[in-house]
Amino acid sequence: MRTFFLSYFAALTLFAAGCGDDETSPSGGGGASSGGEGGTGGTGGETGGAPSQGGAGGAGGGPIRCDEPASAVIGPDGGELSHCGATLTIPAGAVSAEETFTIAIEATPPEAPFEREFASPIFVITPEEPALNALLSLTLEHEAGDSRFELAWYDETEQTFFPINPCEVTDTSKQQFVGLLGTYTVLRDINDYPDTTSGLGDGTMNLDFLGAPSVFDLDSPGSYGIFENRADGGRNVTLIAQRDVEGGIERLRADVLLDEGGASGTLIQVEWLSTVLGGGYSYIDGLVGSDGTLDITETAEGRLVGSFSANVNGGNPPAEEPLAATFDVSAELFKFPPELECPGPR
């Protein structure tokens, strides 16, 4: 799981790295007119299938051939290139010299990620690493629907798509500012999720920590048990429960990786917070604290029963303290929706 998050962070870092800090004023050269503006191309069907590449209506001309790339030479004055549902906007001053930008549709796309389907064509936008003074705006149109849609960028090294938080969204489009071009698409999550975590999961975690036993109930306000499916057949489970104590609130969180079959797993994270103490203690597998253990079984009724323990780090001065808990809980399928993230051009 850590590999996934590190790769995702690295992908996002590339976007920022693609945009230089140089604020040199552009000089000379006018922007080239953009390619014809087309409507959204057809969408993909089953996971891993290629999106349709039907023709789209042209702006003031004949139909746009989605199976043929569109190009435009754009200079320091800026410009825009649109092709079959993808629009790349180059603001004035983003490039110091004329650059040829191209949008093409991938005819043999890679497989869609786990539990995702393509909701737009797969767009290959070049040059992949243009010399930029500011970020470019990329907007992709997608099919309408009540599903979760994600803007995604393809990492050639990892050979998979990584989701990107959008800046602006509509019912049929996702937009973000990027400093790295390449392969982009919109993905549709095949799952239907509850709107919030409220009321998800139930059961208790019985904690023994700092010499005082306590019970954390997943039915209490602000508490929940959720999971996400994994491509390897396992599940990422998050249990969060809080309780009122004299003078404040205590909160216990446990994240576990449940292996396929539900008979074993790995303790990923434990966190105990107290508003009374004004801080907390934590364990993160391989990073913070030590000696994390997990004993877990999924019952025939789908409940998760077991125990976990770890030496958690915290306090003032920082020190490790032993923490142990037993649990009998249920968790429900949930995924937090993408958050809006707008760095803006610079």
Side-chain angles (χ1 to χ4, degrees):
M1 185 174 73
R2 295 196 303 274
T3 301
F4 172 85
F5 286 114
L6 289 172
S7 299
Y8 180 27
F9 177 79
L12 293 180
T13 303
L14 286 173
F15 299 139
C19 177
D21 293 327
D22 192 27
E23 296 293 338
T24 305
S25 300
S27 60
S33 61
S34 66
E37 187 171 0
T40 306
T43 59
E46 297 300 320
T47 301
S52 169
Q53 297 180 18
I64 301 298
R65 290 286 303 273
C66 289
D67 57 349
E68 295 181 358
S71 297
V73 177
I74 298 175
D77 288 344
E80 185 175 279
L81 174 63
S82 293
H83 183 58
C84 297
T87 299
L88 182 68
T89 302
I90 296 87
V95 293
S96 299
E98 288 189 344
E99 184 82 66
T100 300
F101 292 90
T102 299
I103 300 177
I105 292 179
E106 177 60 61
T108 56
E111 183 177 351
F114 176 65
E115 294 191 337
R116 303 293 188 274
E117 295 176 341
F118 292 116
S120 80
I122 292 83
F123 297 99
V124 181
I125 308 171
T126 56
E128 186 169 332
E129 298 185 52
L132 298 176
N133 305 315
L135 298 175
L136 311 183
S137 173
L138 177 64
T139 301
L140 299 188
E141 299 175 10
H142 60 80
E143 62 186 25
D146 295 329
S147 304
R148 294 268 183 91
F149 294 96
E150 300 172 329
L151 183 64
W153 170 79
Y154 188 73
D155 187 322
E156 295 286 351
T157 301
E158 297 290 337
Q159 294 190 336
T160 190
F161 282 97
F162 287 105
I164 304 164
N165 286 340
C167 176
E168 295 183 4
V169 301
T170 71
D171 291 340
T172 56
S173 69
K174 297 286 183 287
Q175 181 273 342
Q176 184 53 275
F177 297 95
V178 298
L180 179 68
L181 301 179
T183 302
Y184 288 84
T185 193
V186 177
L187 300 172
R188 185 185 75 83
D189 197 316
I190 67 171
N191 295 306
D192 292 324
Y193 300 101
D195 293 332
T196 72
T197 58
S198 178
L200 300 184
D202 65 13
T204 59
M205 292 186 285
N206 297 279
L207 178 67
D208 185 2
F209 183 53
L210 297 179
S214 54
V215 178
F216 288 82
D217 192 337
L218 267 66
D219 287 324
S220 62
S223 307
Y224 54 84
I226 59 175
F227 72 86
E228 288 186 38
N229 295 319
R230 294 168 53 92
D232 61 7
R235 279 165 281 171
N236 294 326
V237 181
T238 297
L239 307 173
I240 292 181
Q242 62 185 40
R243 69 188 195 113
D244 295 328
V245 297
E246 185 177 352
I249 294 174
E250 291 179 353
R251 182 175 186 262
L252 177 64
R253 170 175 181 155
D255 292 87
V256 305
L257 192 166
L258 182 65
D259 295 334
E260 183 178 11
S264 62
T266 303
L267 183 65
I268 302 300
Q269 173 178 301
V270 176
E271 181 182 63
W272 180 86
L273 298 175
S274 170
T275 61
V276 178
L277 296 181
Y281 290 77
S282 62
Y283 164 84
I284 302 176
D285 183 28
L287 295 175
V288 179
S290 61
D291 298 333
T293 66
L294 175 68
D295 180 19
I296 190 169
T297 300
E298 183 175 20
T299 69
E301 294 76 25
R303 299 190 66 79
L304 303 177
V305 179
S307 63
F308 59 82
S309 65
N311 293 324
V312 292
N313 186 275
N316 188 16
E320 287 194 357
E321 296 285 350
L323 176 151
T326 61
F327 57 88
D328 183 342
V329 300
S330 69
E332 299 179 47
L333 180 66
F334 182 81
K335 181 180 180 182
F336 289 97
E339 298 180 356
L340 298 182
E341 185 176 323
C342 298
R346 61 180 176 88

